[in-house]
Amino acid sequence: MPIHEPAAAPRADAPWWSKLHAALMPDYNRRASVYWWAMVLGGGALLLASMAQVAMLPPLVWLQVAVGMALAMLAGLFPVRVPGTRHSFVASDVFIFLLLLLHGPAAAAVAVAGEAAMGSMRSSRRWTSRIASPAIGTVAIVVAGSLLQALRTRFGVQGHGPDQTVALMALAMGTALLYFLLSATLFAGVLRLKRDEPFFQLADFVGVFRWVGMAYAGSAALAALLLAAYAVAGIGVWMVMLPLLAMLLATLHFYFRQQEATRALRERSAEAEAREAEAARRETLAHARHLRELQASERRFMSAFTHASIGMALLAFDGRVLQSNAAMSALLGRDAGDLGGRRLRDLVHEEHAAALEERLAGAGRGVFDGAAVELRFVRPDGGTPWAGLHFATFTETESGEPCFIVQAQDISMQRAAEEQLQHLAFHDTLTGLPNRRRFMQCLEGAVARSRADGNYAYAVMFLDFDRFKLVNDSLGHGAGDALLVLLARRLQERLRPSDVVARLGGDEFALLTERMGQERDVLALAERLMEALRTPFLVAGQELQISASIGITFGSVRYTSAEAVLRDADTAMYKAKAGGRARVALFDGSQHAEVSRRLRLEGELRRALDNGSLSVAYQPVFELQRGHGGHAGGLRALEALVRWRHPVEGPLAPAAFLPIAEECGLMPQLTDFVLHTACRQVRAWQLSHAAWAELAVSINIAAEDLAQPGFAARVQAVLLESGLRGEHLTLELTENILMSRIDGAMSTLAELRRLGVRVAVDDFGTGYSSLSYLARLPIDTLKIDRSFVADLARDGDQAAVVRAIVHLGQSLRKAIVAEGIEDSHQLEQLLALGCTLGQGHHLAEPLDVAATSELLARERGAGREALRLH
């Protein structure tokens, strides 16, 4: 047998496999057979390898691959044919390319094989095609996908961020075109080899590249966009995008079907007109034939009317249904007999009946050219489907009387998608509450009503949850989001249905309440909300206590804009925070200046940190012992304190700018400044004289510092840079900060202890410490709060408290430092109570670097001589 000719019938003595080949593959010559077997075996091997590779992945990935393959196979059953061409668009390629981008060529190969098998079972009866299609598809996607994977690895394209997304889309579209060329070449090769034609011809692609190539590239681009959206918003975005994709395909399908039906009607109408013209020309010779053609045309129209895929009906001008097709009956959920004679207005939802009557009102006056309207019907089962209706006049009825022909298309899915998008535009996706945009709309309405009616009352509350950032920093943003959801739910439970509570962003919420009565009722509501928040929240297995600062303004101020209302409520909220948090504040006009100053100081503090305008003062800590005149003994350590000399307002007290730094997130930067400055300076004093080789320094740190995972590493870097040993550095935390962050602080304190750094509890006695924690925590020093020292002379109970703290420290082997020693009487009492270390203005005020250097020199020269600075 010649190698380029079709297989001939085998001889009687031919081998059994030759006879089997002739029976099963009679039109395959030798080249075509070899090529077919090569593709089947190669593709099968690749498919088995891909399935084995997928089987090694986690179960969640199996599920994703299975779902992707099922969606691809399902989408392959519903091709969308492009009107006027022989080509169709199939959405299965979107899911195949999405699996390729997510999990690589192996996952895509499994999906391609499943989709190709489903498609070949539907489109071909030949077993050779049903076997070859999945194998060839597997070879093409593995080759193209492997190249894509290599390029992504080479150029680091993962799809996160705008530039990455654009690059990923370009690579995906190029891969899609390569996949198209490979699969088209490999499939066409079988037919060309069977016909003894060249294996590849460019003409194979010219006719199909425009539509098919664009479809492949578009599917790949859409898959890349879905992957980018998944990376930003998570799997929830697919829950929205996949129904929208299905709705888009359904809309295209019905639109193209309608175009084809319209074109068919036009073609039939043109054909009827041509026949009518021919019949008119031959009217004297073929009048009977003309009548038969006219009747045939009517039958064809009625056939198209009856079997149309969209709802169609004939209506009298008074709105009665004269005739309807099956699609219209299905849309309205009624039998055709039930529709006949009924008024269309009675089948429409009452809120749309007037719109329907308005569209048809001009028909009776002879000025009706057509109308379109979207409305809801009412089905007997209670459903209310949306439909797009198009009306036109129609005269080809048996009676010859004009009527309406109505086309109705179900648009329920489209309207549902539009309503979902509308909801997303005006609601917070995390809590489901109205967002800022929606809240401002409601507030603008309240302002307008108040301006029109002077007796109309409303109020706005601005809520900001105190120290919420600590939850995100310590437990993670997932826990923070969960807490926001619980907070939103608890707020809603305490409000009336007419009240509007919205999430403005972050942990900021706003509440609009109207017709509340008197202003004291609004204050009572605010107190109820504060009380509701006192019950702890269970988040991530931990009980969290959260409070809120609430600012309130009333519509009686006669606002003219919603922005001004929200601004003043926000201003009042800052007043509440400045008053100590967890409280309610009312707006008054004087607060504008205060807020403006606060915002100005925030900006100036940022610039001061950047340009080095801040400084550090040092307050000595002395050994308390009876010297000459009852004075203190030698200097033992220094406490570093940040100072800011404002260029306009002069020296500012720390209480004036530290709360601002805490609120705007500048505390870590401020702590780093004090750490670097103080450690370098103390190390310089240690090197200046052997007497100060063991000089130590203590530095206050904030809750934000303790919550950050890398804080211990920051301290270690400062120690290495400055050369200061860890045991010469003490970090001071307030008792409340330490105990509120006890679980998260344990690991950080342990890391600091490994560095040799000491830890002191500042303001001890003012919080609620647990003795078990004090015994277990790596704490070296307890600093008695200055409030106890100040009241020693006036209150005997305070002396008992100080004595108890001293005995507690001695029992736990902790150093005790008394703060705020202001006179000699307090010094004598502390000595009598057993306190050995102290600091305060009576002993020495905070000093700048130069004054501290002079103090160290005098202290070194005076030996045990006591020092008193006023």
Side-chain angles (χ1 to χ4, degrees):
M1 171 176 80
I3 192 171
H4 296 303
E5 294 183 2
R11 296 180 302 178
D13 58 349
W16 64 269
W17 58 83
S18 179
K19 296 179 180 179
L20 182 62
H21 175 271
L24 298 179
M25 305 171 68
D27 57 339
Y28 278 69
N29 57 30
R30 180 176 299 174
R31 292 177 64 201
S33 299
V34 171
Y35 176 79
W36 186 90
W37 280 106
M39 286 292 100
V40 169
L41 294 177
L46 286 176
L47 179 58
L48 290 176
S50 298
M51 294 173 65
Q53 186 174 349
V54 170
M56 297 174 64
L57 298 175
L60 181 59
V61 178
W62 301 349
L63 178 59
Q64 292 177 356
V65 174
V67 171
M69 181 175 68
L71 290 174
M73 294 172 69
L74 180 61
L77 297 177
F78 301 97
V80 179
R81 182 175 179 181
V82 181
T85 71
R86 296 181 294 105
H87 309 300
S88 300
F89 171 75
V90 182
S92 57
D93 296 323
V94 175
F95 304 104
I96 291 172
F97 289 127
L98 184 58
L99 286 177
L100 175 62
L101 295 175
L102 275 173
H103 303 300
V110 174
V112 165
E115 189 273 338
M118 178 67 73
S120 61
M121 291 290 290
R122 179 174 54 86
S123 61
S124 177
R125 294 184 178 181
R126 300 198 54 169
W127 68 274
T128 53
S129 296
R130 294 181 176 182
I131 293 177
S133 292
I136 291 176
T138 300
V139 172
I141 196 64
V142 168
V143 172
S146 299
L147 178 59
L148 171 65
Q149 197 171 35
L151 291 175
R152 289 181 68 183
T153 303
R154 171 65 178 83
F155 296 105
V157 177
Q158 300 302 322
H160 303 301
D163 295 338
Q164 287 276 308
T165 301
V166 172
L168 183 61
M169 286 178 62
L171 288 178
M173 292 172 69
T175 302
L177 293 177
L178 175 60
Y179 171 57
F180 159 67
L181 292 175
L182 284 174
S183 58
T185 301
L186 296 176
F187 277 111
V190 177
L191 301 177
R192 292 201 167 277
L193 289 176
K194 288 166 64 176
R195 296 194 296 261
D196 274 347
E197 295 176 356
F199 179 81
F200 174 82
Q201 286 191 8
L202 184 61
D204 290 340
F205 307 98
V206 174
V208 299
F209 184 79
R210 182 181 64 176
W211 285 108
V212 180
M214 288 174 60
Y216 274 70
S219 299
L222 180 56
L225 288 175
L226 286 174
L227 178 62
Y230 170 76
V232 173
I235 197 171
V237 75
W238 290 354
M239 300 302 179
V240 176
M241 293 300 296
L242 290 179
L244 288 178
L245 177 59
M247 182 195 70
L248 175 61
L249 292 176
T251 302
L252 285 175
H253 173 73
F254 286 113
Y255 175 71
F256 290 160
R257 289 286 298 274
Q258 185 176 6
Q259 280 194 329
E260 291 178 353
T262 303
R263 186 175 61 180
L265 287 174
R266 288 175 179 173
E267 291 174 354
R268 292 188 182 97
S269 178
E271 183 181 352
E273 291 176 359
R275 283 193 296 270
E276 291 172 3
E278 180 67 14
R281 189 176 63 86
R282 301 180 181 181
E283 183 176 1
T284 57
L285 300 175
H287 183 67
R289 181 181 177 185
H290 172 71
L291 291 177
R292 288 194 299 269
E293 290 292 338
L294 196 58
Q295 291 170 354
S297 176
E298 184 177 351
R299 285 194 299 270
R300 283 192 294 271
F301 169 77
M302 291 307 300
S303 177
F305 175 89
T306 303
H307 300 98
S309 60
I310 62 174
M312 299 185 72
L314 297 177
L315 261 66
F317 280 172
D318 62 2
R320 289 179 295 106
V321 178
L322 302 177
Q323 191 174 355
S324 62
N325 67 354
M328 178 65 84
S329 299
L331 175 62
L332 301 181
R334 301 173 183 270
D335 296 333
D338 185 28
L339 289 177
R342 301 195 62 167
R343 290 172 57 86
L344 186 63
R345 188 185 191 283
D346 298 334
L347 307 176
V348 173
H349 196 282
E350 59 181 9
E351 66 183 20
H352 295 145
L356 175 63
E357 294 292 342
E358 180 182 351
R359 295 299 191 280
L360 303 181
R365 300 191 298 269
V367 295
F368 183 82
D369 293 327
V373 64
E374 293 184 357
L375 47 77
R376 280 193 300 165
F377 286 106
V378 178
R379 297 163 56 109
D381 59 6
T384 56
W386 278 91
L389 272 62
H390 183 271
F391 297 84
T393 54
F394 185 72
T395 57
E396 296 184 17
T397 60
E398 294 181 358
S399 63
E401 293 294 327
C403 64
F404 296 126
I405 182 169
V406 183
Q407 298 181 20
Q409 184 172 351
D410 190 343
I411 59 171
S412 300
M413 292 182 62
Q414 175 184 338
R415 293 302 295 254
E418 291 174 354
E419 291 174 0
Q420 178 67 17
L421 291 175
Q422 180 79 357
H423 184 273
L424 291 175
F426 289 98
H427 289 78
D428 176 48
T429 55
L430 176 64
T431 62
L433 295 178
N435 57 14
R436 177 184 288 271
R437 181 180 179 185
R438 177 58 181 159
F439 183 81
M440 295 304 288
Q441 286 184 343
C442 297
L443 183 55
E444 287 170 358
V447 172
R449 287 188 289 273
S450 177
R451 296 184 67 185
D453 180 2
N455 295 322
Y456 188 86
Y458 69 93
V460 170
M461 298 184 191
F462 197 106
L463 293 84
D464 185 274
F465 296 102
D466 303 322
R467 302 186 185 279
F468 184 83
K469 188 174 183 296
L470 290 178
V471 178
N472 284 336
D473 292 340
S474 58
L475 301 181
H477 287 275
D481 289 346
L483 178 57
L484 286 174
V485 173
L486 296 176
L487 287 168
R489 187 180 306 161
R490 190 170 293 181
L491 291 176
Q492 285 181 301
E493 291 172 350
R494 267 65 179 183
L495 300 176
R496 302 174 303 171
S498 60
D499 296 331
V500 179
V501 60
R503 182 189 177 204
L504 304 182
D507 62 327
E508 294 181 342
F509 289 69
L511 168 64
L512 169 63
T513 178
E514 302 179 74
R515 302 184 185 278
M516 194 66 179
Q518 299 182 354
E519 293 184 356
R520 63 171 176 267
D521 298 325
V522 178
L523 293 175
L525 173 60
E527 291 298 333
R528 288 198 301 271
L529 295 179
M530 298 282 284
E531 181 64 29
L533 294 177
R534 292 189 178 97
T535 303
F537 295 86
L538 183 61
V539 176
Q542 297 192 31
E543 281 195 354
L544 299 180
Q545 191 80 39
I546 200 79
S547 63
S549 298
I550 302 178
I552 304 177
T553 188
F554 297 96
S556 56
V557 180
R558 299 303 175 205
Y559 290 101
T560 59
S561 69
E563 290 77 8
V565 181
L566 194 62
R567 178 202 64 202
D568 290 349
D570 188 15
T571 300
M573 181 275 295
Y574 274 107
K575 177 183 177 182
K577 278 194 176 293
R581 298 185 177 86
R583 61 186 61 206
V584 177
L586 303 181
F587 172 77
D588 61 66
S590 63
Q591 293 172 6
H592 280 305
E594 179 183 346
V595 172
S596 299
R597 179 178 182 270
R598 185 182 187 90
L599 292 175
R600 176 175 55 80
L601 286 178
E602 178 183 335
E604 292 171 344
L605 180 58
R606 291 182 186 274
R607 290 192 292 275
L609 279 167
D610 293 336
N611 59 29
S613 300
L614 301 178
S615 62
V616 175
Y618 301 89
Q619 184 171 32
V621 177
F622 290 95
E623 181 178 351
L624 303 183
Q625 60 182 15
R626 299 184 186 277
H628 300 288
H631 296 161
L635 185 149
R636 289 294 174 263
L638 300 170
E639 180 178 1
L641 305 169
V642 65
R643 291 292 184 263
W644 182 17
R645 178 174 291 276
H646 192 274
V648 177
E649 301 184 22
L652 292 179
F657 63 88
L658 288 182
I660 297 176
E662 184 177 357
E663 289 292 337
C664 61
L666 292 176
M667 285 305 297
Q669 191 175 349
L670 198 61
T671 300
D672 286 345
F673 166 75
V674 178
L675 276 171
H676 282 274
T677 304
C679 289
R680 284 197 299 266
Q681 183 60 58
V682 170
R683 181 56 181 161
W685 283 325
Q686 288 179 342
L687 296 175
S688 66
H689 196 279
W692 304 120
E694 300 299 321
L695 182 65
V697 63
S698 61
I699 298 172
N700 294 280
I701 63 174
E704 289 185 63
D705 298 314
L706 195 64
Q708 293 188 351
F711 178 66
R714 286 161 50 196
V715 173
Q716 184 179 21
V718 171
L719 293 175
L720 292 174
E721 177 196 0
S722 63
L724 190 72
R725 297 205 307 271
E727 57 266 28
H728 293 149
L729 173 63
T730 298
L731 299 179
E732 297 186 10
L733 304 94
T734 66
E735 185 178 8
N736 286 333
I737 290 176
L738 181 63
M739 300 315 295
S740 64
R741 310 299 310 150
I742 189 66
D743 293 329
M746 295 292 281
S747 59
T748 301
L749 295 179
E751 292 182 47
L752 293 172
R753 174 52 61 90
R754 285 193 290 270
L755 297 175
V757 176
R758 302 176 185 274
V759 177
V761 180
D762 199 8
D763 300 339
F764 187 77
T766 59
Y768 300 93
S769 298
S770 167
L771 294 181
S772 62
Y773 276 124
L774 288 177
R776 291 193 297 112
L777 283 172
I779 296 172
D780 304 281
T781 304
L782 302 178
K783 301 189 73 172
I784 303 173
D785 186 71
R786 64 181 63 248
S787 62
F788 298 115
V789 176
D791 293 335
L792 279 176
R794 298 187 299 272
D795 190 346
D797 292 339
Q798 301 289 37
V801 171
V802 172
R803 182 182 293 106
I805 295 175
V806 171
H807 290 168
L808 174 65
Q810 292 172 349
S811 302
L812 297 176
R813 295 187 295 277
K814 313 291 184 187
I816 303 297
V817 178
E819 295 183 292
I821 302 175
E822 302 295 333
D823 54 46
S824 58
H825 182 69
Q826 292 173 350
L827 177 62
E828 290 296 328
Q829 283 187 293
L830 290 169
L831 283 169
L833 293 172
C835 187
T836 59
L837 296 172
Q839 62 184 111
H841 288 272
H842 177 68
L843 304 176
E845 296 179 349
L847 306 171
D848 60 19
V849 173
T852 305
S853 298
E854 293 177 4
L855 172 66
L856 293 175
R858 290 197 304 272
E859 185 76 11
R860 186 175 66 249
R864 294 191 182 91
E865 183 180 352
L867 176 65
R868 179 186 306 143
L869 297 177
H870 297 281

